[in-house]
Amino acid sequence: DGGGDPSAVSEATKSSLTNIQADDLLSKYGERMGKRKLDALIVVASDGSKDTKSLSANDILGLVTIEVRLLNSNDLLSADESEFRLTQAVASLGPKQRREYKDASVLDIARELLPPEVTAVCSLSNLCTSPKARRMGIAAKLCSEAERLAKEELSFDEIYLSVEAENEAAKKLYETKLGYQCKFETNAVALRVDAERGGFVEVESDIVVMSKKL
């Protein structure tokens, strides 16, 4: 949720920002070598005129991502830190025990090998809609589908999300329309658009972490 006037951003900068975001999404949610320990999914809304593999950026009406992460008390860990802790927990075991946890779920590994204050949670993020699809209920539908996947496919009974404290519009959507409740507040890194350089910069921001029972 970067500040500034979007109309002041040049087409070249928009293209650069789009490419950066696409690469970031691909690295986090696309296919990769080796098994991904933490589930990470993208939910896309389109007009239905094309199959998923044929979609271009112009065909997408909105998207949201969901991923499994670790919650350490009041600290929602990054995907990289979450995966590192899970890997280390299993690596610290003897050979026989490691084999027992080879195909264990993240929920089981967190519950049995990590401290009680560290739990595996499902997190919703990157919710966005195309300007041409605003006020069509796309955001709410994307969240509903993400919640269904979290419950039915990933076996979670609660879903989390983070939103900047100053983003009143987003907080209203999550709390009033979608039934999320504030879990805790923290300070974390957020992204802002750097129009001059055609990229993103990291800034410290007050963050509200919300959750919803599924």
Side-chain angles (χ1 to χ4, degrees), residues 41-45 62-66 141-142 145-146 149:
L41 308 171
I42 299 180
V43 181
V44 175
L63 66 80
V64 69
T65 60
I66 51 178
K141 291 177 181 177
L142 284 167
E145 178 61 12
L149 290 170

Side-chain angles (χ1 to χ4, degrees), residues 113-200:
L113 300 181
L114 295 178
E117 67 272 14
V118 181
T119 56
V121 299
C122 191
S123 176
L124 180 154
S125 59
N126 296 310
L127 175 65
C128 61
T129 57
S130 167
K132 64 183 179 182
R134 299 282 165 81
R135 301 188 182 281
M136 295 171 57
I138 299 294
K141 291 177 181 177
L142 284 167
C143 288
S144 294
E145 178 61 12
E147 292 163 9
R148 184 192 69 79
L149 290 170
K151 183 175 183 178
E152 297 181 9
E153 301 294 332
L154 303 181
S155 302
F156 285 87
D157 58 11
E158 188 173 14
I159 190 167
Y160 285 71
L161 61 83
S162 300
V163 61
E164 291 189 56
E166 65 182 27
N167 192 339
E168 295 297 336
K171 288 195 298 181
K172 182 178 180 180
L173 168 68
Y174 295 131
E175 290 180 316
T176 306
K177 293 186 177 181
L178 301 179
Y180 284 78
Q181 296 182 333
C182 177
K183 199 78 171 182
F184 59 88
E185 297 185 17
T186 187
N187 189 265
V189 172
L191 295 180
R192 293 285 186 272
V193 172
D194 186 337
E196 293 183 0
R197 297 182 180 180
F200 295 94

